[in-house]
Amino acid sequence: QVAESGGGLVQAGGSLRLSCAASEFTEDDYTIGWFRQAPGKEREGVSCINRVDDTTFYIDSVKGRFTISSDNAKNTVYLQLNSLKPEDTAVYYCAAGYEFCREGFLRPSDYDFWGQGTQVTVSS
C-alpha cells in the first residue's frame, strides 16, 4: 500500500514537497516511482528510487528541479519540487513495484501498487 500527500497550489517558481508513505513491505527490495498525469495526457514517469541502495532516476524535464529521497525509518519517500512551472501542473501519483529503477523502466506497467494521487497546480 502507498499513499501520497503534500500537493497544493503554488505560483511559478515556488516549491512543494510530496510524500509517499509505504506500508506492508517487509523488505527493502522495492522501488518507489513518482508519476504525473495532466488533463488529456498520458501518465508520465517523473522519478524513481530503489529502496535497497537509494539509487535514483529522473526524466530530463525535472532534472535539477526535483529531488527524490527516502526516509527508511518512516518508510516514506519524498519528492521535492522546486522551481515549479505551469507545465508541472498535474495529478501526481506514487507507486511501488519490484522493477529496478533505471532509465527506460519508469513506466506505469512496471509498478504494482498505486496511491490515489495528489493535485499539484502551478499558476503563472
Side-chain angles (χ1 to χ4, degrees):
Q1 300 282 348
V2 291
E4 313 91 339
S5 60
L9 172 64
V10 65
Q11 290 188 330
S15 298
L16 285 171
R17 188 176 79 161
L18 308 183
S19 299
C20 175
S23 60
E24 301 179 10
F25 291 92
T26 58
E27 303 290 338
D28 287 336
D29 59 345
Y30 63 97
T31 297
I32 293 290
W34 282 98
F35 294 79
R36 63 186 180 186
Q37 189 165 20
K41 294 189 177 181
E42 292 187 354
R43 192 166 295 189
E44 172 188 44
V46 175
S47 180
C48 55
I49 186 167
N50 294 299
R51 296 304 308 275
V52 66
D53 61 6
D54 285 343
T55 51
T56 60
F57 171 76
Y58 301 89
I59 59 172
D60 286 346
S61 61
V62 306
K63 281 181 182 176
R65 300 190 300 122
F66 293 6
T67 303
I68 192 170
S69 62
S70 67
D71 183 332
N72 291 343
K74 296 182 179 179
N75 286 334
T76 300
V77 170
Y78 303 100
L79 187 67
Q80 179 70 38
L81 287 61
N82 295 331
S83 302
L84 282 162
K85 305 175 181 180
E87 52 264 42
D88 294 318
T89 294
V91 177
Y92 282 70
Y93 300 88
C94 74
Y98 295 96
E99 187 67 56
F100 197 77
C101 163
R102 59 201 189 278
E103 185 174 2
F105 288 85
L106 185 54
R107 304 165 297 192
S109 59
D110 294 322
Y111 291 80
D112 304 301
F113 308 98
W114 290 82
Q116 78 286 355
T118 185
Q119 178 71 46
V120 171
T121 302
V122 184
S123 63
S124 57

